Amino acid sequence: MTIIGKAMQDAMNEQINKEFFSSYLYLSMAAYFEDKNLTGFAHWMRLQADEEREHAMKFYEFILDRGGRVQLKAIDAPATEWKSNLEVAEQVAEHEAMVTESINALYELALREKDYPAQTMLQWFISEQVEEEKNAADLVAKLRLIEERGTAVLMLDHRLSKRGGEEAESEEE
Ligand code: FEO
């Protein structure tokens, strides 16, 4: 067995921390939605949090399988409040883009180190990030649509408030 290199081990230990932070962040978002009685949103976020823990554990197992040492670090506190549902979704999208960069940097390291097992393992994450970013972008797009519709309803409401009597209406026509 080729033992994992120090640089790769350290970088993967950092990634474990990032994945646990992602899990913590999404669980915090679930709690935010739970507080607003948006149980569907909360359910989605809880599953997302579970997936992030699984991602962390994939790195954990990989380091062990390669004879390395797992070293857990402190997890930062996530935000607990957001201005709107859309802001939550936008933060998920931003966060996933950052995770993608981090996975890509790990892959570059695996190429430099000629660490073939790491390259194969990281290819799964590269595909997973495409999915993760797509899901986040879909959520942002849907929430933007709802917001636009909300604005359209307000505009219609404003127009309706301008209604005059029957005469005024026929004059308009
Ligand atoms: Fe582990 Fe959402 O990336």
Side-chain angles (χ1 to χ4, degrees), residues 32-164:
Y32 167 82
F33 286 129
E34 232 107 39
D35 189 55
K36 294 172 82 180
N37 283 324
L38 286 171
T39 50
F41 280 80
H43 172 73
W44 195 90
M45 283 300 171
R46 277 185 190 225
L47 288 187
Q48 196 63 28
D50 289 348
E51 263 192 26
E52 298 302 347
R53 186 179 184 282
E54 284 167 22
H55 292 171
M57 292 310 292
K58 274 185 195 283
F59 283 104
Y60 184 107
E61 299 294 352
F62 184 82
I63 294 173
L64 290 185
D65 287 350
R66 302 280 308 285
R69 176 77 170 89
V70 170
Q71 285 163 322
L72 301 181
K73 298 164 200 306
I75 304 169
D76 289 340
T80 54
E81 295 297 336
W82 290 269
K83 283 197 219 92
S84 64
N85 302 335
L86 177 59
E87 195 188 43
V88 175
E90 284 170 344
Q91 196 179 339
V92 173
E94 254 172 51
H95 187 71
E96 286 302 329
M98 201 190 71
V99 173
T100 299
E101 270 179 35
S102 174
I103 296 289
N104 290 347
L106 276 176
Y107 194 75
E108 281 161 25
L109 177 65
L111 290 176
R112 279 202 305 278
E113 303 263 309
K114 294 188 168 42
D115 186 334
Y116 302 112
Q119 287 174 28
T120 304
M121 182 264 198
L122 288 164
Q123 274 162 11
W124 182 88
F125 276 94
I126 290 168
S127 305
E128 176 71 3
Q129 281 312 116
V130 172
E131 191 63 28
E132 295 272 85
E133 289 204 62
K134 179 187 171 294
N135 290 343
D138 281 354
L139 191 61
V140 169
K142 282 186 185 127
L143 283 166
R144 283 204 182 128
L145 203 63
I146 289 170
E147 206 164 76
E148 278 164 21
R149 282 194 186 154
T151 308
V153 168
L154 287 177
M155 280 165 67
L156 177 61
D157 185 57
H158 182 70
R159 256 183 66 191
L160 293 175
S161 74
K162 300 288 176 206
R163 178 179 178 175

